[in-house]
Amino acid sequence: MAIVDVRILVEGASDVEVVSKALQGLALGSEYNITISAIIPTTNVEIAKSAAAGADLLIIATDADRVGRDLAERLFSELGEMVGHVERMKLPLGHDLEHVDVELVRKELKNTLVRAGLKSLQILPEYMALRNQLLDLKGRYDGLTDEYKRLHGEYEALSKAYDELKAESEKLAEENSGLKALLENSKNVYRVEEAWKSLFPAEPVPDEAYIGKAVEKLGLTGRVIVGQGYIFAEDGSLVDELLRTVYLSIAIREEPEPKPPRPEPPKEEPPARAEPAGEEEVAESAEVKPEDIEGLLKGL
């Protein structure tokens, strides 16, 4: 348990002796868990502020007469916000230690400490309510801190992405501006649709990206530029050559593959003629003589 720091403010040095004498009969540490850290003899407000700043409890011990009451009220209003709690204590009239009832001072001091404790208990519910409110606000603050960190991370990521997109947009805008200037300042500029329809009026206009791909494949990069619905070429014949090649490529790609030929059925061999029995086979290599032909004619 923390020790309560109590300081006592009196009017002069004689009051210090009176209060010190009264404190000798009190076991404040064991009974109240408090310590009297200073007894300050002054009527100067600035000195009192310096000496009392930071105390848990400040007891203003002045005489019970009108002067003492006025001084206590002035010090109370000036020092109320500098310490945890301020309590007024009335000292008996007279400053001669031999004629002051020390026991009466001791009793008044104890009563002052009890009053301060009771007043603290009265504000305890308010303190607990404020404490709970503080804890609730701390929880909300911690949640908002985490949310801030998350949003800050998202903001950093979005800022980085924005910078990248901005740089890319500026680059594309520069390229687009250069291309538009090139197209506007060039005479050999043709609209893709018009150039295509002039060659193939019945065919749909192919995609611009497909034509651009053909420019790369044909090695015409730099000589032919395709973009934004236009074709730029050093020579108008290149445009016709390019579009005819594109048309041929599309036609070949769309032409159906030929079907393989059907196999012909095998031809049937005619049956061999039967040779008459008893006839001799004639040799293919037999030699025909002239006298044989003459004999044959005579027989006829």
Side-chain angles (χ1 to χ4, degrees):
M1 183 179 296
I3 300 297
V4 179
D5 180 12
V6 178
R7 302 174 197 179
I8 302 176
L9 193 62
V10 296
E11 295 181 65
S14 59
D15 293 332
V16 175
E17 295 181 10
V18 173
V19 173
S20 297
K21 188 72 174 178
L23 288 173
Q24 292 178 1
L26 295 176
L28 299 179
S30 59
E31 292 184 11
Y32 300 101
N33 200 40
I34 64 175
T35 180
I36 307 298
S37 62
I39 301 176
I40 308 154
T42 185
T43 58
N44 185 286
V45 175
E46 297 303 322
I47 296 176
K49 286 181 178 181
S50 177
D56 297 320
L57 171 62
L58 176 64
I59 297 176
I60 301 176
T62 60
D63 293 340
D65 58 5
R66 183 180 59 81
V67 177
R69 183 173 64 252
D70 292 342
L71 176 62
E73 291 178 356
R74 182 159 58 90
L75 292 174
F76 192 95
S77 62
E78 293 288 342
L79 303 176
E81 297 181 357
M82 301 185 61
V83 297
H85 183 71
V86 181
E87 192 64 39
R88 168 79 192 283
M89 172 182 169
K90 297 177 183 180
L91 291 176
L93 294 176
H95 298 277
D96 188 353
L97 186 61
E98 296 179 357
H99 299 89
V100 174
D101 188 349
V102 177
E103 184 61 32
L104 182 62
V105 175
R106 184 179 295 117
K107 182 178 180 181
E108 180 63 21
L109 182 58
K110 290 184 67 173
N111 290 337
T112 302
L113 294 173
V114 171
R115 285 197 305 273
L118 291 175
K119 289 181 180 179
S120 299
L121 290 176
Q122 290 176 355
I123 65 174
L124 185 59
E126 182 180 355
Y127 164 77
M128 293 303 297
L130 291 174
R131 179 176 179 275
N132 293 335
Q133 185 179 0
L134 175 63
L135 292 175
D136 180 62
L137 290 175
K138 184 179 182 302
R140 292 171 57 187
Y141 170 79
D142 293 339
L144 291 174
T145 300
D146 294 339
E147 182 69 9
Y148 167 77
K149 291 179 179 178
R150 184 184 67 81
L151 293 176
H152 184 69
E154 292 183 0
Y155 167 78
E156 292 290 338
L158 290 175
S159 296
K160 182 178 179 181
Y162 168 77
D163 293 338
E164 293 176 354
L165 291 175
K166 182 179 179 182
E168 184 177 356
S169 175
E170 291 176 352
K171 179 181 178 182
L172 291 175
E174 183 178 356
E175 293 178 355
N176 183 55
S177 177
L179 180 58
K180 290 180 68 175
L182 179 63
L183 294 175
E184 290 173 358
N185 297 330
S186 174
K187 296 181 179 179
N188 299 327
V189 179
Y190 310 89
R191 289 184 60 86
V192 173
E193 183 176 359
E194 293 177 357
W196 180 268
K197 290 297 184 181
S198 66
L199 296 175
F200 314 106
E203 299 297 328
V205 180
D207 187 77
E208 188 175 294
Y210 190 83
I211 300 176
K213 193 69 174 178
V215 172
E216 297 179 8
K217 295 294 185 180
L218 295 174
L220 298 176
T221 304
R223 300 175 61 192
V224 178
I225 300 175
V226 180
Q228 297 185 347
Y230 290 88
I231 299 178
F232 162 76
E234 298 176 351
D235 186 357
S237 61
L238 289 177
V239 177
D240 294 344
E241 179 184 347
L242 171 64
L243 295 182
R244 286 192 176 95
T245 304
V246 171
Y247 173 77
L248 180 60
S249 173
I250 295 174
I252 293 175
R253 187 177 61 178
E254 294 179 352
E255 183 178 350
E257 296 182 0
K259 297 182 180 179
R262 296 178 60 185
E264 296 182 0
K267 296 182 179 180
E268 297 182 0
E269 295 291 336
R273 296 177 60 183
E275 296 292 335
E279 294 186 359
E280 295 182 358
E281 295 182 358
V282 179
E284 294 180 359
S285 60
E287 184 180 354
V288 180
K289 298 179 180 181
E291 53 270 23
D292 295 334
I293 297 175
E294 291 178 0
L296 182 60
L297 293 172
K298 289 179 179 181
L300 292 175

